Amino acid sequence: MAFKERDKPFRLLMMESLAHRMDLSREDRSKYASWVKGYNGEVEFDSIMEQLKCENLVLNDLYLNVRGKRFQIDTLLITAKNLYIYEVKNFAGEYYYENEKMYFGRTKKEVFDPLYQINHAESALRQLLDQMGYNLGIKKFIVFVNRNFTLFQAPLNSGMVLPGMLTSHFSMINDISDRLNQTHFRFAKEIKPMHMEDFTLHNVPFYEDKLLKKGIICFYCGSFIDCFINNRTCFCKSCNKKELISKTVIRHAQEYKRLFPEQRITTSAIAKWCDHQVAPSRIRYIFNQQLIAKGTGRWRYYEFSS
Ligand SMILES: [Zn+2]
């Protein structure tokens, strides 16, 4: 298990809600699709990392700060030999590299250079290590996880790991036989709480309550659900999966809070958010069990325990 697990990024969760509940422009739809693709690539990479045999600590998805500058690391792997930082790309199709720039083959359009991204992350991490008082070596790699990815004229020794090189790359890491020492564990413990989730709504389209379709959304496939069994379970006719209503209600309260952080979670607000598919008495019962109640009577609202 990773020392720091990967959570779905905040802006992806936001976009997911908006994609289900309102009409997105073509541009936003394609942005959303590329975020989903990127995230899926990272999750796939996580499953490769879980198979590592050498002693290691993995910290996923770190948003860090050094001297007022933000930087992000998709995956940080700590081994006895080095720190490894990975930038994970889920590009598909044919690309080529020319004059230190990367292009998509079909359109010949330049794409954002992953080498630039990883070099920035490396230099920022080096500064942070300095600041924290650690002297650990850093190796950086860009990993292309999609089997349908080809890169022509890939620069040699640039740290690009193409799909066909993944196995040999990880067998090289697995050859590290030294054990982690106190410094590595201390470093992992110190850097983990430095992660600050990115809550900015950069690139998320404008939305407001009245633009959003109300209702219960299936956890698994994103369809709207209107079928319930025994008042305890909801059932999705699109994907045939079930979820306990208590989980569904909490999930929708979380979604509501994310979209409208200034609003209070009340029984009636969430009943309306779920398009009155769940009785307020049921919602109140679930909230009383799982959330922290504040205020009394008709001013009662709920908060999540942190
Ligand atoms: Zn479903």
Side-chain angles (χ1 to χ4, degrees):
M1 200 174 125
F3 191 72
K4 179 188 171 296
E5 296 286 340
R6 184 182 309 281
D7 296 321
K8 236 184 218 185
F10 176 74
R11 60 177 194 160
L12 177 56
L13 286 168
M14 294 293 275
M15 202 63 145
E16 200 170 76
S17 293
L18 300 184
H20 293 142
R21 296 185 186 273
M22 69 183 227
D23 289 327
L24 293 183
S25 67
R26 232 176 97 132
E27 193 195 337
D28 285 329
R29 275 205 308 272
S30 85
K31 200 188 305 167
Y32 171 54
S34 86
W35 291 0
V36 170
K37 203 169 132 206
Y39 177 71
N40 289 344
E42 289 164 11
V43 170
E44 195 178 323
F45 185 65
D46 294 347
S47 65
I48 302 174
M49 293 299 269
E50 278 162 21
Q51 293 162 28
L52 274 181
K53 305 272 189 306
C54 68
E55 199 178 335
N56 71 79
L57 293 164
V58 174
L59 292 102
N60 290 314
D61 195 31
L62 288 170
Y63 276 86
L64 302 164
N65 219 318
V66 67
R67 297 188 187 125
K69 272 187 296 174
R70 302 268 284 157
F71 69 103
Q72 194 241 338
I73 296 174
D74 286 343
T75 303
L76 174 66
L77 166 69
I78 303 171
T79 70
K81 228 174 172 179
N82 280 301
L83 302 180
Y84 294 84
I85 53 178
Y86 291 97
E87 173 72 33
V88 182
K89 293 287 171 213
N90 196 5
F91 295 170
E94 294 182 354
Y95 289 75
Y96 63 94
Y97 220 87
E98 207 170 74
N99 300 327
E100 298 180 12
K101 287 188 173 119
M102 189 166 160
Y103 299 88
F104 184 45
R106 193 161 50 81
T107 57
K108 299 196 167 36
K109 244 172 105 175
E110 189 184 341
V111 294
F112 194 63
D113 186 2
L115 274 178
Y116 170 82
Q117 259 174 307
I118 193 105
N119 288 339
H120 171 70
E122 183 202 20
S123 99
L125 181 65
R126 226 176 265 289
Q127 289 176 45
L128 186 63
L129 286 177
D130 246 20
Q131 222 173 59
M132 294 166 77
Y134 286 96
N135 182 19
L136 300 161
I138 305 174
K139 298 256 182 210
K140 55 177 193 261
F141 294 96
I142 302 153
V143 183
F144 295 93
V145 286
N146 198 312
R147 277 171 228 290
N148 296 318
F149 172 80
T150 316
L151 180 63
F152 296 104
Q153 296 153 228
L156 287 174
N157 305 319
S158 59
M160 290 195 180
V161 182
L162 304 183
M165 298 155 71
L166 276 168
T167 312
S168 64
H169 176 79
F170 284 106
S171 65
M172 179 263 293
I173 305 259
N174 272 331
D175 279 345
I176 301 170
S177 54
D178 295 348
R179 307 209 55 186
L180 296 175
N181 60 36
Q182 286 308 314
T183 309
H184 299 116
F185 287 103
R186 203 174 68 231
F187 169 68
K189 265 187 216 150
E190 282 176 21
I191 200 166
K192 186 179 172 183
M194 292 175 134
H195 163 75
M196 282 171 64
E197 178 69 49
D198 183 6
F199 288 117
T200 54
L201 290 179
H202 185 59
N203 272 331
V204 172
F206 170 80
Y207 64 91
E208 55 187 338
D209 184 58
K210 64 174 186 229
L211 293 176
L212 301 180
K213 186 175 170 191
K214 312 298 184 289
I216 289 180
I217 291 174
C218 172
F219 173 71
Y220 301 97
C221 74
S223 308
F224 280 91
I225 294 181
D226 57 3
C227 184
F228 300 90
I229 309 167
N230 305 330
N231 207 20
R232 284 184 62 84
T233 313
C234 59
F235 174 71
C236 174
K237 286 177 194 159
S238 300
C239 70
N240 288 327
K241 290 205 166 109
K242 295 176 195 163
E243 185 180 39
L244 280 178
I245 289 201
S246 55
K247 276 199 175 161
T248 313
V249 167
I250 295 295
R251 192 161 59 75
H252 282 73
Q254 285 165 335
E255 182 194 28
Y256 183 78
K257 192 73 200 167
R258 214 164 28 236
L259 287 161
F260 307 105
E262 71 289 354
Q263 296 294 328
R264 284 183 168 172
I265 301 173
T266 61
T267 302
S268 62
I270 301 307
K272 194 178 153 213
W273 184 241
C274 297
D275 200 26
H276 306 286
Q277 306 255 15
V278 185
S281 57
R282 180 102 201 131
I283 296 176
R284 189 173 303 117
Y285 175 79
I286 294 163
F287 283 176
N288 280 331
Q289 298 243 308
Q290 299 195 36
L291 304 186
I292 299 161
K294 299 266 167 107
T296 49
R298 65 194 184 95
W299 285 283
R300 171 157 287 199
Y301 64 97
Y302 295 88
E303 282 179 358
F304 289 99
S305 56
S306 46

